[in-house]
């Protein structure tokens, strides 16, 4: 079975937020397209070995931010009018910039790191 999400239990990022972040990236990257159905809460919880309430919380946040919508009889699907790739990239970039500033990186250090990683990826 294809695993949609991969968790890092040793991360300081809560599990529900890891699911939210990964789903947003899958939508922004085009791997999940408008209208695609997400696996059920129970299926994800069983697959990842986590509490269904954790998945439910992640799905609720994704619904609140317009990434997915609840459709009667279908469950959660990627929203037709969900955030565009640029909006998601902007949000993720702001998080990265804030973190870089918190750890004392200069703008040029961050840009250099991004350019190196861009070439490696």
């Amino acid at each position: 079975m294809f695993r949609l999400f991969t968790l890092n239990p040793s991360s300081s990022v809560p599990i529900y937020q890891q699911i939210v972040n990964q789903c947003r990236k899958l939508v922004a990257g085009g791997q999940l397209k408008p209208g695609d159905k997400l696996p059920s809460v129970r299926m994800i919880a069983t697959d990842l070995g986590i509490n269904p309430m954790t998945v439910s919380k992640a799905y609720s946040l994704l619904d609140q931010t317009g990434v997915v919508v609840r459709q009667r009889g279908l469950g959660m699907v990627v929203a037709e009018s969900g955030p565009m790739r640029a909006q998601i990239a902007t949000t993720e970039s702001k998080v990265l910039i804030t973190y870089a500033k918190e750890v004392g990186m200069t703008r040029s250090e961050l840009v250099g790191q991004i350019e190196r990683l861009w070439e490696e990826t």
Side-chain angles (χ1 to χ4, degrees):
M1 176 173 139
F2 171 73
R3 182 171 273 186
L4 187 61
F5 305 112
T6 304
L7 301 180
N8 179 356
S10 62
S11 172
S12 63
V13 178
I15 291 174
Y16 75 89
Q17 191 63 53
Q18 290 181 46
I19 293 170
V20 169
N21 294 347
Q22 289 178 40
C23 189
R24 288 170 53 96
K25 288 176 186 173
L26 290 168
V27 171
Q31 292 92 345
L32 286 176
K33 296 178 179 18
D36 284 352
K37 183 180 180 313
L38 295 182
S40 71
V41 167
R42 186 175 303 168
M43 185 180 295
I44 293 290
T46 301
D47 184 45
L48 298 174
I50 59 175
N51 189 314
M53 291 303 293
T54 302
V55 181
S56 183
K57 183 174 184 175
Y59 277 15
S60 290
L61 287 170
L62 289 164
D63 186 24
Q64 290 171 9
T65 57
V67 177
V68 299
V69 293
R70 293 182 198 275
Q71 287 192 349
R72 181 171 277 195
L74 289 177
M76 301 299 269
V77 297
V78 177
E80 293 293 333
S81 61
M84 301 302 291
R85 288 169 38 164
Q87 291 172 317
I88 294 172
T90 297
T91 300
E92 297 296 327
S93 296
K94 286 180 180 179
V95 170
L96 175 62
I97 291 167
T98 299
Y99 178 77
K101 287 179 177 181
E102 288 173 357
V103 299
M105 287 183 81
T106 65
R107 181 177 189 266
S108 60
E109 288 172 329
L110 179 59
V111 170
Q113 182 70 15
I114 290 170
E115 288 174 346
R116 280 189 296 280
L117 290 171
W118 185 272
E119 295 304 319
E120 293 173 9
T121 306

